Every structure is written in C-alpha cells, then in structure tokens.
Amino acid sequence: MELRDIEIFLILAEELHFGRTADRLHVSAARVSQAIKKQERAIGTELFERTSRSVRLTRVGTELHDNLRPVFQGLHESIAKARRSAQGRTSVLRIGTINANNYELRAVWEEFRKRHPQWGLQLRHAEFVHPFTGLRSGEVDGLVTWLPVEEPDLTAGPVLFTEGRNLVLPVGHALAQEHTASFEMLADNPAATAGELVPEYWENEITPFYTPGGHRLDKVVTVTNSEQIMAEIAEGNMIHALPMHGRRFMNRPDLAYVPLTDLPVLRWGLVWRSDAEDERVQALAQVIRDVGPIEL
C-alpha cells in the first residue's frame, strides 16, 4: 500500500463515513472509495461492510487497523522528529482542542511559542466523543475542553476562556426571532445526547439533563460529531444549546442562534494526564495563567 492509501484506510476506520473521510483528507469521496477497493483487491477480502446507511470494519479490517495504526503513527512521529531536529527544535507539544475557536486564543499560542522557541506547538481538532482517549493513549499531551473534568488519572489545569451559550434552532422555528431564550424552552423539544460515548457529568455541564424548573430534557437524538449536531438541528430533528463561539466559527445560514440567559458561564481549560506531566505542559499551563482567563 502507498502511504496515502494507508492514511485513507485509517481515517475511514475512524470516521466510518466516506464523505467525512474525504473532507478530512481534502480529497473526493471517489478517491477514498478507489483506495479502499484497491486495498481490498490486494488483500483478497473486504475491509469494510457497506450498506446504504452504515459503514463498519470487517474482522480482517479490524485486524489490519489495529496492526497498521501504531506503525503509521510511529512513521509520522519519526518524520516529525527529523523535521524538528532540522529546525533546531527538541520536541513538539500536541494539544487536542474540542473547541472550534483557536483563532480567538492566538494570544496564548503565540506567547507560548515566543517564550519557548525550542518546542513546537501543534493544535489538533478533537471531537467530543471519547473525549479523553487521546490523552490516555498518548496521541496528545494536553486537551482543551469544557470543565469540570473529574477523572482520577487526569489533571484539570487553569481556565483558558469562559463564555455563554446559544440556543440553536432551525431558522424557521417559532423561537428563532427571539432576542434571548431560556433553557427551559428545551423542555418540550427533542434534544441531543452522546450517550455512553461521554461521561454523564461532563455532558450535563454543557447541556444539563434538567431545566432550571426541574423538567427533564427529552434527549433522544444520539450525536457523535459537531457536523451531525448542526445537520440534525437544521433538519428540525431537535434544538440544542451550544457554546457561543460556535456561532462565530460554525455559523450556517439555515440555523438561528439565540443567547441563553439562565445557564451558568461555561469554563474551558487545559487538561492533561497526571503521570505524563512534563515541563512543556507546565509551561503552557503557566502561559494560560498569565494571559487568561479570556472572557468571550
């Protein structure tokens, strides 16, 4: 297999969706399909089971994924290490970011790079499902996420920024023209949940299970990524409360954003694995303390 084809296979195994895989790799869906068919011909069996509604790994595909992923990751790390060496850098700090507004936080990133030119800083988008897997596997050294994080093996560091939340609805919804909204308005509408893919206390922080008046939300739409959330709202399948920065960085013409007035401020901070804390993580945490918290 060519390296690009291996990358296509690994991303498809993660996304289980040809369109999202193509978007992440900036190629066409046809290119993804072509690469997978080529691999299946070379191996002699299917790697994915495809239906009109789903894509999933076969037994052989799962084995190949488990064997290829560490090799491919190690190859990338070796190339990155050689590149850092050529630039006079000793290592790179890899930060996963569940937030979408890293541009608004550039004062922090630029200050870190200014203070510590010997280290690289790499920001990687992280989805909210299985939020701490990347930290625990060592794929990232830190994670920007909403707080609190109450995991015994993780350290919750300083607050990076704070913000409110918007009620997000289809533009044709009856509440779309309101200037403000109450979280109580979600009580009689379908809402989203990530279910067992995230800790319950963590989901409750960003979208509480109960309204201030004590009504339990009807969390019936299971979501696994940000794009799906926006699509489900646009299709009228639910309404949802989202961080305010989503309006600036994930804005869509078919959605309306109404500020919520009765939820506490959402805090975002840096989290890392306690047993992997090093001077690079400590240095970034100190920059965040010195610059922030940023109020958005």
Side-chain angles (χ1 to χ4, degrees):
M1 294 183 191
E2 298 178 2
L3 284 178
R4 186 58 163 171
D5 290 343
I6 294 175
E7 184 178 26
I8 288 173
F9 168 76
L10 292 175
I11 297 299
L12 181 58
E14 179 182 334
E15 292 288 349
L16 296 179
H17 190 282
F18 280 80
R20 290 198 297 270
T21 298
D23 290 342
R24 278 184 60 176
L25 295 172
H26 305 290
V27 299
S28 67
R31 172 70 176 89
V32 175
S33 179
Q34 180 185 37
I36 297 303
K37 289 178 180 178
K38 176 182 176 183
Q39 294 168 38
E40 290 175 334
R41 286 196 300 269
I43 293 172
T45 189
E46 290 188 344
L47 301 175
F48 293 90
E49 294 179 4
R50 297 96 140 166
T51 70
S52 59
R53 294 188 175 184
S54 67
V55 177
R56 64 180 182 177
L57 284 163
T58 63
R59 179 185 59 80
V60 174
T62 299
E63 292 178 359
L64 181 63
H65 171 266
D66 293 345
N67 290 328
L68 274 182
R69 185 177 181 184
V71 175
F72 189 75
Q73 184 176 343
L75 177 61
H76 269 279
E77 290 294 336
S78 297
I79 294 172
K81 185 176 180 180
R83 185 180 295 117
R84 292 194 300 270
S85 179
Q87 296 171 345
R89 294 175 177 174
T90 57
S91 64
V92 62
L93 183 63
R94 303 159 301 170
I95 302 297
T97 61
I98 293 177
N99 57 301
N101 63 328
N102 286 325
Y103 178 77
E104 293 182 323
L105 311 175
R106 59 193 182 282
V108 172
W109 317 132
E110 290 171 1
E111 182 64 21
F112 178 85
R113 292 182 173 113
K114 177 182 176 182
R115 293 187 190 183
H116 305 286
Q118 75 276 24
W119 299 323
L121 176 64
Q122 184 182 83
L123 304 177
R124 301 179 177 181
H125 175 68
E127 281 292 352
F128 55 82
V129 295
H130 305 300
F132 312 125
T133 299
L135 281 176
R136 288 170 173 148
S137 68
E139 290 184 13
V140 294
D141 306 299
L143 180 70
V144 177
T145 172
W146 66 80
L147 302 173
V149 169
E150 301 168 353
E151 305 293 311
D153 58 329
L154 304 181
T155 296
V159 174
L160 179 56
F161 69 97
T162 61
E163 64 178 342
R165 269 160 284 194
N166 283 313
L167 180 62
V168 186
L169 353 86
V171 289
H173 195 280
L175 300 174
Q177 303 304 316
E178 298 293 329
H179 295 294
T180 60
S182 166
F183 191 70
E184 204 71 40
M185 294 174 175
L186 274 78
D188 299 322
N189 293 272
T193 180
E196 297 180 355
L197 301 178
V198 303
E200 184 173 300
Y201 77 87
W202 193 68
E203 177 177 312
N204 185 67
E205 185 64 24
I206 195 165
T207 311
F209 286 84
Y210 289 88
T211 70
H215 298 96
R216 184 173 178 85
L217 260 62
D218 191 17
K219 291 195 172 188
V220 295
V221 183
T222 301
V223 295
T224 59
N225 59 71
S226 303
E227 291 78 8
Q228 183 194 355
I229 290 177
M230 311 307 270
E232 296 280 5
I233 298 172
E235 288 296 316
N237 297 329
M238 66 179 194
I239 62 177
H240 196 55
L242 288 174
M244 277 195 169
H245 78 258
R247 180 174 188 170
R248 299 186 292 278
F249 292 89
M250 300 172 64
N251 196 8
R252 290 175 47 147
D254 51 355
L255 299 178
Y257 302 79
V258 183
L260 285 165
T261 59
D262 54 352
L263 286 181
V265 168
L266 190 63
R267 300 175 304 127
W268 293 77
L270 180 67
V271 176
W272 60 86
R273 206 175 81 204
S274 302
D275 64 359
E277 181 178 328
D278 60 18
E279 59 180 346
R280 302 170 306 157
V281 172
Q282 294 170 350
L284 179 57
Q286 187 58 53
V287 169
I288 292 172
R289 294 186 187 98
D290 294 343
V291 175
I294 300 169
E295 296 182 9
L296 300 179

